[in-house]
Amino acid sequence: LVGKWQGPLFYFGMGLVFSLLGDILLLLSFRYFIFGLVAFSLAHFFYIVGFNVTLPEFGVIFWILLAAVILAAFSNFRPILNAMRKDHYQRRLTVALVFYAIVISLMLFSALLNTARPGWGLQDGLLTCLGAILFYISDSLLARERFIRSTKFGGVLVMVSYLLGQLFIALGVLIHYIP
């Protein structure tokens, strides 16, 4: 609301709206999980578009960050996918989870590039990076909680990392786009 949904802030506003929709759907029964996944995929899509209004430079940092995100995605989501394959019902969600893993990884990569993207400063770049990392951690923990095994404080860790992630993304974007 502070940014009045103008210019690139429209994309981040839409990202927050679809995140809220995803939150609501995930609070419902497990049969709405796929719809929550779709809502969060759309949220990440809007974040990706918003971050990439200014295209990054394709230098060494670009390729290092890309390699790091690919490595993180494979090492993080592989155990989750292996656990899902053991259960018939969960196995049906494999394609959706792979798609979501790609989308959230692209969002993370796009945010990490803000540290080297022309026009982004240190503070706004680092805040959006930290926010995206926390969002990624939150969703990784959530997937582990749902598909591998639940832990004592898993739900709290999911929510704290998610809420801080959203806050840092929003703050970084507002610092960047609001003079």
Side-chain angles (χ1 to χ4, degrees):
L1 295 175
V2 171
K4 299 182 178 122
W5 293 66
Q6 296 177 355
L9 291 174
F10 169 80
Y11 302 114
F12 295 101
M14 291 300 292
L16 289 170
V17 167
F18 278 103
S19 292
L20 177 61
L21 179 60
D23 288 337
I24 292 167
L25 291 167
L26 290 182
L27 287 173
L28 303 174
S29 73
F30 188 74
R31 67 181 171 180
Y32 294 103
F33 180 80
I34 192 72
F35 298 109
L37 208 59
V38 169
F40 276 111
S41 294
L42 289 168
H44 293 308
F45 170 77
F46 281 110
Y47 284 166
I48 291 166
V49 172
F51 286 136
N52 289 293
V53 167
T54 305
L55 293 178
E57 295 178 6
F58 295 94
V60 174
I61 293 175
F62 177 92
W63 298 109
I64 290 171
L65 290 174
L66 180 61
V69 170
I70 290 171
L71 180 64
F74 275 112
S75 63
N76 183 46
F77 286 102
R78 186 178 188 136
I80 297 165
L81 291 171
N82 288 339
M84 290 175 69
R85 288 186 183 118
K86 295 176 184 173
D87 181 276
H88 175 70
Y89 180 74
Q90 292 178 354
R91 195 175 324 138
R92 297 184 309 172
L93 296 173
T94 302
V95 172
L97 188 72
V98 168
F99 174 78
Y100 185 76
I102 291 168
V103 172
I104 194 169
S105 296
L106 286 172
M107 186 278 296
L108 173 62
F109 177 60
S110 296
L112 291 175
L113 287 173
N114 289 344
T115 58
R117 195 181 307 271
W120 283 77
L122 182 63
Q123 186 179 25
D124 49 351
L126 288 178
L127 278 170
T128 55
C129 286
L130 180 58
I133 290 167
L134 287 169
F135 203 145
Y136 190 87
I137 288 170
S138 170
D139 282 5
S140 300
L141 290 171
L142 177 63
R144 288 176 184 276
E145 288 286 310
R146 294 232 179 188
F147 299 114
I148 296 178
R149 69 180 152 85
S150 185
T151 59
K152 186 174 182 179
F153 296 107
V156 172
L157 291 173
V158 167
M159 289 310 299
V160 168
S161 57
Y162 168 67
L163 293 171
L164 287 175
Q166 290 280 40
L167 176 66
F168 292 152
I169 289 172
L171 282 175
V173 166
L174 289 173
I175 289 169
H176 181 73
Y177 287 109
I178 305 284

